[in-house]
């Protein structure tokens, strides 16, 4: 006799619960993630749709709140920084980007670009002057590397720094600079007779100006600017003494890319959870949308990619905290996780139908933002070429 049984209904699991991710984290890491998630959910999420629609972010106000939470430069040691491990920093980035990529971008640029450039390559005087203020949020920093015609090829930058007695004179423009109009200090990279060098530039220096970039369709809850340096005169002490050539700025980019490896997964997780919740209450032909096989196939596929991306991020984080992680390994993480996060956000929107195009729901907002994340800190094409070079020993960049 054959007996047919119907599987018992199970308690709904959140996507990452299926992978037992919390079991791979220590108590401090779980606490940090939970703290940032609560802050995003209670303080930031209620305002995100409005900030995105208006194209604004109250950066000065948020900088202090991020500083009070210890998020700014949290993975750096000393000078008022929290000194957490890399995984904790990654988890914080994930929770911030679960709110909006603009939030993670703010913290990432402040900590992994502006502060890291000074912490790693600066003089002790520069560190003492700027890092405590940047860590507390009393000052805001930005990072001037990209130019309108030189993104993937920063070595071709046209911004110059020439000596004039003991001073330096900087001239040029930088483009797509997060926090540019908010910043009190900018790390600016320029061509010199000694190669590419970095400079710590207070933004109230005569000749320095920043212009807000408007009419963006992506990263709207973020301040993006053009920096203009019109014969900006700086003392010799403004130069980052330890950074010579592209090694300096590229090391900073690797720090920021690491945060993106985790951060993009936050946007993906939030999109997927929003789709699951929507499908559970939306009825189609008198049944919940979540009860249809095609919907469950979409949810299952997205959960697989989210979980695999999370395991990759954690592996890179553990390597960074122990034996070290290489730029090529970070390229693996950014390429995969941003690409899959964008696909998840788009697919999540399809489950919501027409409702998904409104700011009432997060997936399309995340998808718009992830179009920028896919491009900045190295395009997908550049990361593919980095991986290809590591595998073959042949450079295909030219």
């Amino acid at each position: 006799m054959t007996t047919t049984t119907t599987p018992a209904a199970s308690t709904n699991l959140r996507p990452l619960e299926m992978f037992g991710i919390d079991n791979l984290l220590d108590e401090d890491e779980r606490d940090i993630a939970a703290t940032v998630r609560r802050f995003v959910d209670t303080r930031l999420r209620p305002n995100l749709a409005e900030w995105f629609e208006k194209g604004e972010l109250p950066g000065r106000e948020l900088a202090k709140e991020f500083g009070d939470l210890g998020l700014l430069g949290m993975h750096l040691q000393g000078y008022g920084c929290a000194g957490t491990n890399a995984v904790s920093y990654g988890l914080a980035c994930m929770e911030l980007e679960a709110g909006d990529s603009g939030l993670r971008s703010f913290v990432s640029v402040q900590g992994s670009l502006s502060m890291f450039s000074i912490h790693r390559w600066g003089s002790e005087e520069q560190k003492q002057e700027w890092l405590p203020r940047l860590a507390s949020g009393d000052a805001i920093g930005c990072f001037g590397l990209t130019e309108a015609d030189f993104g993937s090829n920063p070595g071709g930058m046209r911004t110059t720094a020439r000596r004039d007695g003991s001073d330096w004179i900087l001239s040029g423009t930088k483009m797509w600079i997060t926090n540019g109009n908010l910043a009190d200090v900018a790390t600016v990279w320029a061509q010199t007779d000694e190669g590419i060098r970095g400079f710590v530039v207070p933004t109230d220096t005569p000749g320095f100006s920043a212009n807000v970039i408007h009419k963006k369709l992506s990263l709207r809850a973020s301040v993006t600017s053009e920096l203009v340096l019109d014969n900006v005169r700086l003392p010799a002490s403004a130069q980052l003494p330890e950074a010579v050539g592209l090694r300096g700025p590229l090391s900073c980019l690797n720090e920021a890319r690491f945060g993106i490896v985790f951060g993009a997964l936050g946007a993906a997780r939030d999109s997927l959870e929003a789709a699951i919740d929507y499908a559970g209450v939306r009825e189609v032909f008198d049944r919940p949308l979540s009860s249809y096989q095609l919907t469950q196939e979409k949810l299952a596929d997205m959960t697989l990619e989210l979980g695999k991306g999370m395991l990759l991020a954690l592996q890179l984080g553990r390597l960074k905290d122990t034996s070290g992680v290489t730029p090529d390994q970070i390229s693996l993480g950014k390429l995969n996780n941003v690409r899959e996060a964008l696909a998840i956000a788009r697919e999540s929107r399809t489950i919501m139908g027409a409702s998904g195009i409104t700011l009432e729901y997060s997936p399309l907002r995340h998808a718009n933002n992830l179009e920028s994340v896919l491009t900045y800190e190295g395009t997908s094409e550049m990361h593919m070429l980095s991986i290809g070079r590591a595998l073959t020993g042949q450079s295909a960049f030219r």
Side-chain angles (χ1 to χ4, degrees):
M1 179 178 179
T2 301
T3 302
T4 301
T5 60
T6 301
S10 59
T11 303
N12 288 10
L13 293 174
R14 283 315 200 190
L16 291 180
E17 289 178 333
M18 299 195 71
F19 291 82
I21 295 299
D22 276 357
N23 295 327
L24 303 178
L25 307 176
D26 65 30
E27 184 177 358
D28 286 344
E29 292 163 350
R30 290 193 295 270
D31 287 346
I32 288 171
T35 298
V36 179
R37 186 183 298 198
R38 282 194 300 271
F39 175 73
V40 170
D41 286 345
T42 58
R43 168 66 179 91
L44 304 177
R45 193 177 296 278
N47 303 296
L48 287 174
E50 181 180 1
W51 291 341
F52 187 91
E53 185 170 30
K54 291 183 177 180
E56 63 184 25
L57 186 75
R60 284 282 169 191
E61 181 180 345
L62 292 181
K64 286 293 298 175
E65 297 183 53
F66 289 147
D68 290 343
L69 277 176
L71 294 176
L72 303 177
M74 62 184 287
H75 56 309
L76 304 179
Q77 299 289 332
Y79 306 98
C81 301
T84 67
N85 66 0
V87 169
S88 293
Y89 170 59
L91 293 170
C93 287
M94 181 174 72
E95 297 302 336
L96 288 166
E97 198 147 355
D100 192 88
S101 298
L103 304 175
R104 197 267 309 143
S105 292
F106 185 104
V107 170
S108 179
V109 167
Q110 180 95 341
S112 287
L113 293 179
S114 174
M115 293 177 68
F116 180 83
S117 65
I118 298 171
H119 191 277
R120 174 63 182 85
W121 302 109
S123 66
E124 186 59 31
E125 291 75 17
Q126 290 166 341
K127 295 174 187 178
Q128 293 287 353
E129 179 179 4
W130 288 109
L131 291 180
R133 295 164 58 193
L134 291 166
S136 67
D138 290 316
I140 295 174
C142 69
F143 186 84
L145 176 64
T146 298
E147 297 182 3
D149 296 322
F150 296 95
S152 296
N153 178 26
M157 70 177 68
R158 296 193 180 103
T159 298
T160 61
R162 59 178 175 84
R163 290 188 184 275
D164 183 34
S166 62
D167 291 344
W168 288 94
I169 307 294
L170 271 64
S171 298
T173 60
K174 300 294 181 178
M175 195 66 171
W176 310 116
I177 308 303
T178 298
N179 297 349
N181 277 73
L182 300 173
D184 301 286
V185 62
T187 298
V188 176
W189 302 90
Q191 299 276 13
T192 75
D193 291 339
E194 307 164 358
I196 292 173
R197 302 299 299 263
F199 298 85
V200 177
V201 185
T203 59
D204 59 0
T205 305
F208 182 98
S209 60
N211 304 312
V212 174
I213 297 173
H214 296 288
K215 299 183 179 180
K216 296 183 298 179
L217 298 176
S218 178
L219 281 182
R220 292 182 54 76
S222 177
V223 174
T224 311
S225 308
E226 174 195 35
L227 306 184
V228 179
L229 299 108
D230 183 9
N231 292 315
V232 173
R233 180 177 292 272
L234 299 170
S237 60
Q239 186 182 69
L240 292 171
E242 302 299 323
V244 181
L246 280 174
R247 181 186 174 205
L250 293 183
S251 69
C252 303
L253 292 179
N254 278 326
E255 289 294 307
R257 289 165 181 161
F258 174 79
I260 292 171
V261 172
F262 279 84
L265 298 176
R269 187 195 71 200
D270 187 69
S271 297
L272 177 53
E273 290 180 345
I276 292 171
D277 291 343
Y278 181 91
V281 297
R282 176 72 160 91
E283 288 198 356
V284 180
F285 300 111
D286 302 320
R287 290 171 52 192
L289 181 58
S290 59
S291 70
Y292 288 92
Q293 291 182 2
L294 286 176
T295 302
Q296 292 193 8
E297 179 185 26
K298 290 181 178 183
L299 298 176
D301 284 345
M302 289 189 286
T303 295
L304 281 170
E305 295 307 323
L306 174 65
K308 288 188 287 186
M310 191 68 203
L311 293 172
L312 173 58
L314 285 173
Q315 169 66 2
L316 296 178
R318 297 302 180 206
L319 287 174
K320 198 173 193 305
D321 281 326
T322 53
S323 58
V325 64
T326 69
D328 296 328
Q329 289 170 323
I330 292 177
S331 286
L332 282 172
K334 183 181 187 285
L335 174 64
N336 181 80
N337 286 6
V338 179
R339 188 164 61 185
E340 296 305 323
L342 180 55
I344 288 170
R346 289 170 173 168
E347 189 77 294
S348 294
R349 203 288 307 166
T350 69
I351 291 175
M352 297 174 167
S355 295
I357 72 167
T358 72
L359 283 172
E360 182 179 357
Y361 301 100
S362 65
L364 190 55
R365 173 169 54 83
H366 284 308
N368 282 3
N369 287 334
L370 287 167
E371 291 287 353
S372 291
V373 181
L374 191 72
T375 297
Y376 70 34
E377 316 295 359
T379 65
S380 292
E381 292 82 359
M382 297 303 290
H383 288 297
M384 284 188 278
L385 293 179
S386 295
I387 296 165
R389 181 180 57 189
L391 293 173
T392 66
Q394 302 291 326
S395 177
F397 287 92
R398 295 180 183 273

